[in-house]
Amino acid sequence: MSTDFLNVARLESGRSQFQVEAFSPGILLNDCFQLILSQAEEKGLFCNIEIPVDLPDIQGDCDKIKQAVINLLSNAIKYTPKGGKILLKAESYPEVIHIIVKDTGIGIPEKYRNRLFSKFFRVPGSERHAQGTGLGLSIIKRIIEGHGGEIDFKSETDIGTTFTIHLPISA
Ligand SMILES: Nc1ncnc2c1ncn2[C@@H]1O[C@H](COP(=O)(O)OP(=O)(O)O)[C@@H](O)[C@H]1O
Ligand SMILES: [Mg+2]
């Protein structure tokens, strides 16, 4: 997507300012889920969402965080073969929330894990599963770190991958 290039350029130049406001992460996550659901189901994936009812409001740029979550979900769809499962989940802690995107897809081989968030990096062979620029994860990382948060993942080849965003409640 050419918008990936624009987004990464804006984020790098500092021209992309965050529009900080209070928002409900539960509503945001439900919106993201609804946006990707038909695409996932068309591919023959089973999708679930688990959001606690008592999630606190977050201070941050709602649109940017939405972009990050949709990107993770779209990766989960791209790199999970038919019949697989995708779970979008949130957990609440005293000062952070966790946003978790879990899939039962192809996984990420151990030797590539330290390069995963690098600009333009794609695991060799990814093009067999889906097209991409290799920019999505670098954009997501910038957005989350720009909010004082962190992103990490666990993965097992042919078992699946789980990305976790740690987002402070007040940016
Ligand atoms: N959920 C996932 N399962 C397996 N591999 C993934 C997943 N998400 C990302 N990857 C790997 O990380 C690479 C970088 O991801 P990303 O920056 O979003 O690029 P893109 O989706 O454009 O290929 C992907 O090309 C793929 O090799
Ligand atoms: Mg991507």
Side-chain angles (χ1 to χ4, degrees), residues 1-7 133 135:
M1 283 193 299
S2 64
T3 52
D4 280 354
F5 292 92
L6 289 172
N7 285 333
T133 58
L135 285 172

Side-chain angles (χ1 to χ4, degrees), residues 44-117:
L45 301 172
F46 300 92
C47 301
N48 276 298
I49 180 164
E50 286 175 19
I51 310 292
V53 286
D54 57 348
L55 279 185
D57 277 6
I58 296 278
Q59 294 281 334
D61 188 322
C62 187
D63 288 340
K64 295 264 178 354
I65 291 172
K66 204 170 187 170
Q67 185 193 340
V69 174
I70 290 169
N71 257 288
L72 286 182
L73 288 168
S74 105
N75 280 347
I77 294 171
K78 292 204 295 188
Y79 303 113
T80 303
K82 188 179 160 93
K85 291 184 201 156
I86 292 174
L87 173 65
L88 174 63
K89 190 176 166 179
E91 293 172 351
S92 180
Y93 296 93
E95 282 164 15
V96 294
I97 66 161
H98 288 182
I99 298 171
I100 297 153
V101 176
K102 183 176 160 89
D103 67 52
T104 61
I106 61 174
I108 297 150
E110 183 145 26
K111 64 175 171 177
Y112 300 118
R113 288 183 198 158
N114 60 348
R115 290 158 69 191
L116 207 70
F117 293 100

